[in-house]
């Protein structure tokens, strides 16, 4: 599989040209495709380069150039052919060699005697497949169907080939699936009601904006590569406004930072809209020709909203609201980035609808450099061939059954007729990432068998019966696109899989083989196949046309990365919205169908009660992606344990000093962790960053309640989670 690769990009270690090319020790090398063998050095050591794709659930979805010496990865850097990655990786990406060669990797299939006991024994792949396949067939025999088997899979790796797990389970019959996402549902529904779907402008267009509002987004940590384009815009004079309850690192880069009371952003947007309406700063032609329901919206705003009211609600002074409303409405184009963090509230979707309305009435939608940018999926039109194998003939039932991923534990416990008895977990760490992990654990207790496919021990693996060791991106083949930028990246196999690791696709084929051995015809998923052949099957004519490459092979041979056609990079340029009316819908009947007000109205925020008076925000951490990266030594050297941030004035009230241990508690559970005092956090709020730290047996979610956000069921099947409407009490431990 690698032969062609190897010969094309093999060269010898030691030449001056080579170190320049590789930029050894220097990020931003010219190490890209087309390197030719050099004859300068006398060394037996072989250097090769490969293109990899960072598959993490991250806006940036980077293209990587990987250097391999004697079969071992020695260096990774950003691919310069990708104008978004721009030859640089983030702090996490630069640690990839440590991820691959970490001593903590799960090396072999293992079976645990007693969940949580740590009493693991190594087993062979054949034994693992046999235990799993037998259980699946027993379940089918006992219940007459496979609905007692439940899959919980989400975002550990977005390689298109990883949908093999879903495909393999569909190939045995109908199963139960964790549905929805913990990430974006409320905002995605809001944009679907307003415009038909969420669709964002190319983020490289920040450079074309005259005004930028980062609204509840922290790209300095969560999308480092976007900051380049924002900084470029600033350099040419674009004003940058950041709206966030926390003074984030992104806020520190702003020309104007607005510290808003959490969950009141809808009031701010509506206050700005009221001012824009009163001052007639909106685009009458646009709202008359390209939108429906504007007059109803004007009536609502004039009757219910004043700038004074918005100031009171949000804590943002009236003159500030008026000034930014005027600046935003008169700068063309003006760009808003709505962060995922902002909509993790019980009124998150309605807040996004209000912000969309602000962009619509100032005709900033459909403009290069403008837009109300949240998330997009225009580049995801692959074949998903791994999911194309149906249930075996004669299978009972008609469809999979769904449980809500965002209230997973409770819904698994509730599922009856048949109950859920076996769990398959891949690309997912529910005990760390879900709210109320104690309830998830209870649901696990009811299982006959829990199988987790992962790279490292974490809370979920610790609670499983069987763990299957999976490959890193460098040990397999694949393809990745982003939900933010417009590039497609090839992932080549750079090294042989370490130990006994396999990709999820290989696991799917191996299990299918075993199932068919035990009961011929019990699984329709292919039992063998070449990974490159699998990846080639993902291409179709639309993808070829959109990206201008014929195949995965052509993609990798031409620099490993390619950008989609400009035709799709300005969202809604043709002003043909995908709503029922084909126009922008200030008034949405679809919203009514899903139980909401038809207009972008203000919905009261969720409030503290006397017992739990302190808001607890749990945003994303700079040195990790959820449960990934922060257990790696290089990043652990910077920060190796979780902590709770609080304002010195709040700390004083509870006699808490820096590094004192603090109990953080509410109805869901409690944690004890050290205090970090900082004025970046409002006085009535504490902050705990989300994710898993090695050897720490809880995450912030142990006291986060499974409170749903207002929207999500239209576009994602289930509502999102109001992670940031979590209230706690604190005391010195
Ligand atoms: N380093 C790193 N990068 C990541 C990730 C990661 O874990 N680590 N995760 C990836 C994923 S899956 C996602 S979803 C994205 C998340 O990307 P972002 O949305 O940028 O990040 P969050 O930390 O979820 O939230 C952003 C900000 O929302 C603010 N916020 C919370 N409530 C409110 C509110 O009511 N109003 C306003 N205006 N702001 C509010 C928080 O204070 C926080 O600063 O990042 C992706 N990139
Ligand atoms: N309190 C709080 N909780 C949150 C959030 C928050 O803001 N606050 N944010 C939420 C958001 S936005 C998201 S997106 C979720 C993310 O939650 P998850 O989707 O669970 O994300 P990860 O922890 O990145 O990945 C899960 C696991 O996948 C594994 N993995 C990596 N690659 C592979 C692979 O190739 N195959 C297999 N089988 N496994 C692999 C990783 O090692 C990891 O253990 O967390 C949510 N949880
Ligand atoms: Mo996310």
């Amino acid at each position: 599989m690698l032969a062609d690769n190897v010969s094309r990009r093999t060269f010898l270690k030691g030449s001056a040209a080579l170190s320049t090319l590789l930029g050894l020790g220097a990020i931003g090398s010219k190490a890209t495709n087309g390197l030719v063998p050099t004859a300068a050095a006398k060394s037996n050591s072989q250097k090769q380069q490969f293109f990899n794709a960072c598959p993490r659930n991250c806006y940036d979805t980077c293209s990587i150039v990987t250097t391999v010496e004697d079969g071992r990865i020695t260096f990774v850097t950003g691919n310069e052919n990708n104008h978004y990655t721009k030859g640089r990786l983030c702090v996490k990406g630069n640690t990839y060699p440590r991820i691959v060669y970490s001593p903590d990797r799960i090396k072999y299939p293992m079976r645990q005697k007693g969940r949580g006991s740590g009493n693991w024994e190594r087993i062979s792949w054949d034994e693992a497949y046999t235990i799993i396949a037998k259980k699946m067939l027993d379940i089918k025999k006992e219940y007459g169907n496979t609905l007692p088997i439940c899959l919980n899979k989400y975002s550990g790796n977005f390689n298109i080939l990883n949908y093999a797990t879903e495909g393999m389970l569909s190939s045995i019959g109908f199963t139960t699936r964790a549905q929805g996402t913990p990430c974006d549902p409320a905002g995605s529904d809001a944009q679907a009601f307003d415009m038909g779907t969420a669709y964002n402008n190319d983020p490289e267009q920040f450079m074309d904006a005259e005004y930028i509002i980062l609204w509840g987004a922290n790209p300095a940590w969560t999308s480092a590569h976007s900051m380049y384009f924002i900084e470029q815009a600033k350099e040419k004079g674009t004003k940058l406004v950041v709206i966030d309850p926390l003074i984030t690192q992104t806020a520190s880069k702003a020309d104007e930072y607005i510290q808003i009371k959490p969950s009141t952003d809808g009031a701010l947007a509506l206050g700005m809209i009221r001012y824009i309406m009163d001052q007639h700063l909106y685009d009458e032609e646009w709202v008359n020709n390209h939108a429906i329901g504007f007059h109803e919206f004007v009536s609502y705003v004039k009757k219910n909203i004043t700038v004074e009211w918005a100031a009171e609600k949000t804590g943002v002074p009236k003159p500030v609201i008026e000034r930014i409303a005027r600046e935003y409405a008169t700068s063309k184009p003006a760009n808003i980035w709505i962060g995922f963090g902002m909509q993790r509230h019980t009124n998150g979707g309605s807040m996004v609808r209000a912000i969309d309305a602000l962009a619509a009435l100032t005709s900033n939608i459909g403009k290069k450099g403008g837009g109300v940018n949240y998330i997009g999926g225009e580049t995801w039109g692959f074949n998903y061939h791994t999911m194309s194998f149906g249930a075996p003939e004669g299978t009972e039932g008609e469809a999979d059954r769904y449980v809500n991923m965002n209230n997973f534990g409770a819904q698994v416990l509730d599922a009856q007729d048949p109950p859920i008895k076996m769990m398959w977990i891949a690309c997912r760490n529910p005990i760390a990432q879900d709210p109320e992990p104690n309830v998830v654990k209870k649901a696990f207790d009811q299982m006959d068998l829990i199988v987790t496919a992962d790279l490292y021990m974490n809370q979920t693996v610790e609670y499983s019966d069987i763990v299957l060791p999976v490959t890193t991106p460098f040990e397999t083949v694949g393809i990745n696109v982003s939900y933010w930028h417009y590039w497609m990246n090839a992932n080549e196999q750079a090294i042989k899989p370490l130990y006994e690791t396999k990709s999820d696709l290989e696991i799917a084929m191996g299990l299918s083989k075993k199932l068919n051995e035990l009961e011929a015809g019990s699984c329709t998923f292919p039992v063998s196949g070449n990974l490159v052949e699998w990846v080639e099957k993902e291409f179709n004519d639309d993808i070829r046309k959109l990206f201008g490459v014929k195949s995965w092979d052509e993609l990798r041979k031409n620099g490993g990365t390619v950008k989609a056609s400009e035709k799709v990079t300005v969202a809604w340029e043709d002003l043909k919205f995908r709503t029922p009316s084909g126009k922008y819908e200030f008034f949405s009947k679809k919203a009514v169908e899903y139980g909401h007000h038809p207009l972008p109205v203000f919905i009261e925020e969720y409030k503290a009660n006397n017992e739990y008076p302190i808001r607890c925000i749990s945003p994303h951490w700079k040195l990790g992606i959820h449960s990934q990266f922060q257990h790696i030594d290089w990043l652990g050297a910077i920060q190796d344990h979780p902590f709770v941030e609080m304002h010195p004035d709040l700390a004083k009230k509870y006699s808490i000093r820096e590094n004192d241990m603090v109990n953080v508690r509410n109805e869901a559970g409690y944690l004890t962790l050290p205090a970090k005092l900082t004025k970046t956090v409002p006085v009535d709020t504490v902050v705990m960053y989300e994710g898993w730290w090695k050897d720490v047996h809880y995450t912030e979610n142990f006291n986060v309640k499974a409170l749903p956000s207002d929207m999500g069921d239209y576009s994602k099947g289930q509502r999102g989670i109001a992670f940031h409407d979590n209230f706690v009490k604190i005391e010195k431990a």
Side-chain angles (χ1 to χ4, degrees), residues 685-699:
T685 300
V686 295
V687 172
M688 291 191 284
Y689 295 101
E690 62 111 327
W692 170 68
W693 266 270
K694 193 177 157 187
D695 300 329
V696 177
H697 294 281
Y698 56 82
T699 68

Side-chain angles (χ1 to χ4, degrees), residues 57 154-155 181-184 340 344 483 620 626 690:
N57 181 355
Y154 186 43
S155 72
T181 96
C183 186
D184 62 304
F340 297 121
R344 295 191 184 120
Y483 48 75
H620 295 206
H626 314 298
E690 62 111 327

Side-chain angles (χ1 to χ4, degrees), residues 57 183 218 221-222 244 263 265 340-341 344-345 620-621 624 626:
N57 181 355
C183 186
N218 184 15
W221 283 14
T222 60
D244 201 304
S263 208
D265 303 79
F340 297 121
R344 295 191 184 120
H345 292 278
H620 295 206
W621 174 237
H626 314 298

Side-chain angles (χ1 to χ4, degrees), residues 33-72:
N33 193 28
L35 295 177
V36 285
T38 67
K42 279 189 188 154
S43 161
N44 296 327
S45 177
Q46 295 245 302
K47 268 196 194 207
Q48 300 152 278
Q49 287 193 317
F50 299 91
F51 294 118
N52 288 104
C54 182
R56 306 279 91 91
N57 181 355
C58 176
Y59 292 100
D60 294 15
T61 305
C62 287
S63 179
I64 300 173
V65 178
T66 305
T67 303
V68 174
E69 289 179 69
D70 297 331
R72 197 179 160 89

Side-chain angles (χ1 to χ4, degrees), residues 2 44 75 177 236 253 387 394 399 533 556 586 588 675 718:
L2 286 176
N44 296 327
F75 189 69
R177 304 291 173 98
K236 69 157 219 241
K253 304 276 180 196
M387 291 204 284
E533 284 170 17
R556 73 179 187 93
F586 288 102
S588 163
Q718 305 284 347

